[in-house]
Amino acid sequence: MRLLERFRSLPIADIIFFFLVSFLVWSLHRYVEPVPQSIFYPSFLLQFSLGFFPQLYQRKWGRVWTSASAITMVRLPFLSGLPMVGSYQLVGLFLGSILGIWVRETLLVLLGRNETALPKQSEQIITDWMIRNPTGKSNLPIWYSTYFGFLFFIFCLTVLCFVRYQGFGMLTGLGIQEFLYYPNLSSREAMGLSCKILIPLTLVILYFFSEERSMPTPSKDSLSEQIRFGLFLGFGINIFFMTIQSIWSLEFFSLGTHLSVSAGRTTGLFQDSGSASWILPVVGFLWITKLIHVWRISKERFSLVMAIISFLVITWLGIKQGKAFWIIWSLTISIGFIQFSTNLWIISKRNQLLTRIGLYVLLPVIGCFVMYGISLIPKEWDLVVLANRFILFLKSFPTNPSLAFQHLDLVRFELIRFANLGIQNAFWMGNGIGAFPLHLLSPSRSGVASAIQFVDFPPTFYHWILYDLGILGSLVFLFYIGIFLWERGLWKQTILLLLPFLFGVQIQNADGAFVCFYLILLGEKGTGFSPSFDKYRKTIWFSPLLLILSIGLPLNYSLFDSQNYLTYGIGSEYRKNELKEYQIAYTLPPKSPNFEYEFHGNRWEWKLVDSNAQRSGRIFLETNSKSSLVEIYFLNAERQRIKQELFEESKSGFTWSGEAPKGAIYIRIHSRSKLEFRLPRSQFDGLGRIQF
């Protein structure tokens, strides 16, 4: 086959789509995390290499390395002595994996892997590489994939987030401006709170999408099993480090988790004790289940012994974990033991069912007695604290349910109360993605007595989705989750999603997002479909209908939700009604001893003062930057240009002198090149209006 024909057989649509989305995520990440290159790139390139090169080498080991790294590398910059530079999002790892997948697939096609004859023995290295990597092929157009709809919804949420925090400056010729959103909090930093969820969520979904699109059809590979093997590998590494932390010192490899260490909790290499408290029992339960399954098939005692040892080690490590660990671990182990024992010793299906129902009824009673016994232990373990709080909860609940929940967890109770109030205020459309931690920083909360000691996300996934997205947005989000589960026939797996989702917004970090979306794919073989889904997929109307819903639902949600942002205003009037002053749109606030605002960019707009005595004079842009052209525009109330003049370049900046024309309401400065200049605080009045 000629090289030109090979080019024609490339998956052009896939390559363009994944490159474009990856580039957008990269640009968004660098915008909300403007970390200096000298600090950012060492960590980024190490993550990138551990994603790119294994994927380029072989599909199987690429998946293994990516999944193992997803739960072991989130604190890499801290462990290397560098500050946290967005590593919780693992941008480098996932971008490297995605790029490695599509570089591999492109090279396979261009080198002729689709052709019958393989290269000669003289090219043994290439031959072996091609044998390891059958060329991927997908029969469905990229737009008909369930992943596409989910990514489109996240794209709509990102656009809404951008408009909410950055205003409509791009539509009015101002470009992307950084405003003051709250005192001492810029709009870029506020947007970064939302992107803490948006970026890892997008990257994880994009990675799984890339893996499925590049799989051979039909495939002997199991995407789920290979990713699970990588998770088990990363899980074992974390167990090793948590063991050292428990025996030797909590400070061992724990940089970046100071709150966890101060609480006496082991973290392994997870993001923090919050991630460890649910990933450890969930992945541990999957590992023990796998060992027992192997034992029942092969009858090898080694697997059974390993399952027992694993149970004891994980239980021991749980002593220095949070309350979420014990709730998840006790539930999963109890349910697993009931299912396993009844299946092993009771043959009759009817007797199995009746016995399980009876045991499930007795389980809460047994749990209460166990918690009472643990409460008598004279230790300060989190498990003992949880047991004592549980006993107080039982005693107080009949007379005062509100006080009972406060006894159980005061901080979580206040977070739930704060979330419930926000849900009531924006019941249908929500408060905007990432709004919860931002509202905790609101100036209206300053001086309010609260048990909430630090900025956090809602206490449960369901509070988060209702608080941020409202009823309509939650239905759209759950629609995609339902399509994923129906497509793969994995309705039983929803129980595994309930466990992590009951304990915080687990998708806010890359390790949590990766494990949560793996649970959705658990048991999935290749790119197969469930029989019911496959029956509809083969019809002529189903895929177009699914595409219409996947695009239409987010667009309708965006259309209604965007009405909230139209009242924010444009340019200098952005959020004036809430801040009670006009936006100065500076990058850095004034500081002693000069008290000057610092501005970055090439376009700025300010509101003019009303007094005629302060509308004539001089504007001096103090800067060392150079630009061939700096102009000042005077705009009327409709932002139509009524006068235009040039700044004069001086030794230490640019100067303009003159008088604002009659009818001028705003001034706008435009530089041909990007400038970094300073203006004194006295240049603006108390309402943020510019004065000469």
Side-chain angles (χ1 to χ4, degrees):
M1 186 183 293
R2 296 178 180 178
L3 184 61
L4 181 59
E5 295 176 348
R6 293 175 182 172
F7 268 110
R8 291 174 179 171
S9 63
L10 283 173
I12 299 297
D14 290 33
I15 294 173
I16 294 175
F17 174 82
F18 285 101
F19 173 80
L20 179 62
V21 178
S22 299
F23 177 76
L24 290 175
V25 175
W26 163 259
S27 301
L28 178 64
H29 173 68
R30 290 300 288 154
Y31 175 71
V32 298
E33 298 271 357
V35 181
Q37 296 183 4
S38 59
I39 298 177
F40 173 76
Y41 277 105
S43 169
F44 173 82
L45 292 176
L46 180 56
Q47 293 180 26
F48 185 89
S49 62
L50 289 178
F52 178 80
F53 291 108
Q55 288 285 358
L56 191 63
Y57 172 74
Q58 188 181 10
R59 182 179 288 109
K60 173 183 176 181
W61 288 107
R63 295 168 181 168
V64 171
W65 276 103
T66 299
S67 55
S69 300
I71 59 174
T72 57
M73 294 183 62
V74 286
R75 288 189 291 109
L76 177 65
F78 264 124
L79 299 179
S80 60
L82 296 173
M84 178 65 76
V85 290
S87 66
Y88 56 82
Q89 297 165 338
L90 291 179
V91 176
L93 175 69
F94 289 118
L95 287 182
S97 296
I98 294 166
L99 181 61
I101 289 171
W102 293 108
V103 168
R104 182 190 68 220
E105 297 305 312
T106 301
L107 291 177
L108 284 171
V109 174
L110 294 181
L111 292 175
R113 182 63 180 87
N114 287 337
E115 301 171 21
T116 304
L118 286 173
K120 300 177 182 178
Q121 290 298 316
S122 58
E123 301 172 348
Q124 187 63 41
I125 295 178
I126 297 179
T127 303
D128 292 342
W129 178 65
M130 288 185 174
I131 293 173
R132 288 193 301 267
N133 297 285
T135 307
K137 183 180 179 182
S138 180
N139 295 325
L140 282 174
I142 197 170
W143 332 109
Y144 288 160
S145 171
T146 51
Y147 285 99
F148 176 77
F150 212 144
L151 288 171
F152 183 77
F153 181 50
I154 297 175
F155 172 76
C156 291
L157 292 177
T158 305
V159 172
L160 290 173
C161 174
F162 183 85
V163 172
R164 178 187 179 197
Y165 296 117
Q166 309 299 145
F168 290 91
M170 291 192 68
L171 302 179
T172 58
L174 284 171
I176 301 175
Q177 285 198 297
E178 186 170 359
F179 291 104
L180 182 69
Y181 199 81
Y182 282 150
N184 300 320
L185 184 71
S186 71
S187 57
R188 181 189 303 213
E189 294 170 316
M191 186 173 176
L193 295 173
S194 299
C195 291
K196 190 177 181 182
I197 289 178
L198 289 170
I199 290 176
L201 189 61
T202 304
L203 287 172
V204 169
I205 294 175
L206 197 64
Y207 166 71
F208 280 122
F209 194 6
S210 297
E211 288 286 15
E212 288 200 2
R213 291 295 294 184
S214 65
M215 289 186 66
T217 306
S219 174
K220 295 181 180 179
D221 292 336
S222 171
L223 172 62
S224 178
E225 290 187 2
Q226 291 169 1
I227 290 178
R228 180 167 53 191
F229 179 77
L231 282 177
F232 288 161
L233 179 61
F235 174 74
I237 295 173
N238 273 287
I239 288 291
F240 174 74
F241 281 98
M242 293 174 79
T243 302
I244 296 177
Q245 291 169 352
S246 297
I247 295 176
W248 183 25
S249 172
L250 286 174
E251 301 287 341
F252 181 75
F253 268 67
S254 60
L255 289 174
T257 58
H258 302 298
L259 291 175
S260 301
V261 173
S262 62
R265 298 175 181 175
T266 55
T267 59
L269 297 179
F270 293 114
Q271 171 65 28
D272 50 31
S273 61
S275 294
S277 290
W278 76 267
I279 295 180
L280 180 67
V282 169
V283 180
F285 176 74
L286 296 178
W287 167 244
I288 293 174
T289 302
K290 179 68 175 178
L291 289 174
I292 292 177
H293 176 72
V294 172
W295 169 70
R296 295 199 63 184
I297 293 177
S298 63
K299 301 303 180 182
E300 293 181 1
R301 294 184 178 179
F302 177 77
S303 299
L304 181 60
V305 172
M306 281 293 297
I308 296 173
I309 293 175
S310 299
F311 168 76
L312 296 175
V313 170
I314 295 172
T315 304
W316 170 65
L317 292 175
I319 293 175
K320 293 187 177 181
Q321 291 299 319
K323 296 180 289 294
F325 170 86
W326 290 106
I327 296 174
I328 297 175
W329 189 237
S330 59
L331 282 175
T332 53
I333 291 300
S334 299
I335 294 173
F337 178 77
I338 291 173
Q339 293 291 117
F340 170 71
S341 59
T342 53
N343 187 44
L344 185 65
W345 293 319
I346 302 177
I347 300 176
S348 172
K349 296 294 183 183
R350 179 177 176 274
N351 292 339
Q352 274 186 12
L353 179 61
L354 294 175
T355 305
R356 288 172 180 174
I357 293 175
L359 291 174
Y360 286 139
V361 170
L362 289 175
L363 191 59
V365 178
I366 297 173
C368 291
F369 281 109
V370 171
M371 295 298 282
Y372 176 74
I374 293 175
S375 67
L376 302 177
I377 299 176
K379 295 287 186 179
E380 294 297 326
W381 299 336
D382 278 348
L383 178 59
V384 178
V385 173
L386 174 63
N388 288 323
R389 290 179 177 178
F390 181 76
I391 299 302
L392 285 175
F393 170 80
L394 292 180
K395 292 179 179 179
S396 304
F397 187 80
T399 57
N400 193 337
S402 177
L403 180 62
F405 281 105
Q406 292 184 54
H407 284 317
L408 194 61
D409 193 327
L410 180 58
V411 175
R412 188 174 292 269
F413 173 79
E414 291 215 11
L415 286 171
I416 291 176
R417 185 169 59 181
F418 185 79
N420 289 339
L421 181 62
I423 292 171
Q424 293 172 11
N425 294 335
F427 184 72
W428 290 105
M429 303 308 301
N431 297 278
I433 191 164
F436 189 88
L438 182 65
H439 289 175
L440 286 177
L441 295 171
S442 173
S444 62
R445 286 183 49 81
S446 59
V448 177
S450 173
I452 306 173
Q453 301 297 323
F454 52 89
V455 177
D456 201 356
F457 282 87
T460 71
F461 173 85
Y462 305 102
H463 279 93
W464 164 74
I465 195 172
L466 288 173
Y467 188 97
D468 285 9
L469 303 181
I471 292 292
L472 297 181
S474 300
L475 290 177
V476 177
F477 191 94
L478 296 176
F479 165 77
Y480 292 114
I481 297 294
I483 291 296
F484 269 105
L485 296 174
W486 180 27
E487 182 181 32
R488 293 157 176 80
L490 299 175
W491 297 110
K492 294 180 180 179
Q493 308 308 135
T494 53
I495 187 64
L496 292 174
L497 289 173
L498 290 175
L499 293 175
F501 283 177
L502 282 173
F503 300 92
V505 188
Q506 307 303 339
I507 57 177
Q508 65 178 291
N509 297 325
D511 54 358
F514 190 88
V515 175
C516 284
F517 272 90
Y518 167 73
L519 295 179
I520 297 176
L521 293 170
L522 182 63
E524 188 265 331
K525 303 291 184 181
T527 54
F529 299 95
S530 65
S532 61
F533 189 90
D534 193 42
K535 179 181 68 174
Y536 287 107
R537 184 179 63 88
K538 292 177 179 178
T539 62
I540 195 173
W541 55 269
F542 182 72
S543 293
L545 176 62
L546 193 60
L547 177 62
I548 293 171
L549 290 174
S550 298
I551 296 178
L553 291 176
L555 284 179
N556 278 279
Y557 174 78
S558 303
L559 178 64
F560 288 108
D561 189 56
S562 61
Q563 307 301 313
N564 300 328
Y565 310 141
L566 296 176
T567 59
Y568 276 14
I570 297 173
S572 57
E573 294 178 336
Y574 178 69
R575 295 188 75 239
K576 178 184 178 298
N577 292 334
E578 297 180 29
L579 295 177
K580 309 304 180 185
E581 63 182 43
Y582 293 93
Q583 286 282 2
I584 301 177
Y586 56 81
T587 303
L588 297 177
K591 296 181 180 179
S592 176
N594 298 322
F595 294 101
E596 293 178 323
Y597 293 103
E598 186 169 320
F599 300 86
H600 296 178
N602 54 17
R603 289 182 179 87
W604 304 268
E605 179 192 280
W606 299 299
K607 181 75 163 42
L608 273 166
V609 294
D610 297 329
S611 174
N612 291 328
Q614 297 173 309
R615 291 167 64 92
S616 63
R618 174 175 175 267
I619 298 178
F620 176 63
L621 311 179
E622 181 186 350
T623 179
N624 295 322
S625 304
K626 299 296 180 182
S627 178
S628 59
L629 181 69
V630 180
E631 300 174 286
I632 181 171
Y633 302 150
F634 293 90
L635 312 175
N636 60 17
E638 288 75 33
R639 286 187 168 78
Q640 296 174 345
R641 191 182 309 173
I642 58 178
K643 188 178 180 181
Q644 173 181 350
E645 294 185 6
L646 295 176
F647 275 80
E648 294 181 0
E649 186 174 0
S650 62
K651 186 175 181 180
S652 56
F654 296 88
T655 305
W656 172 86
S657 299
E659 182 179 357
K662 185 178 180 180
I665 304 297
Y666 310 96
I667 70 168
R668 183 175 295 178
I669 294 179
H670 173 233
S671 169
R672 181 168 293 177
S673 305
K674 286 188 175 182
L675 286 182
E676 297 181 8
F677 65 88
R678 290 159 295 282
L679 284 175
R681 187 165 63 181
S682 59
Q683 192 84 60
F684 301 90
D685 69 358
L687 295 178
R689 298 175 297 187
I690 192 166
Q691 55 191 7
F692 301 155

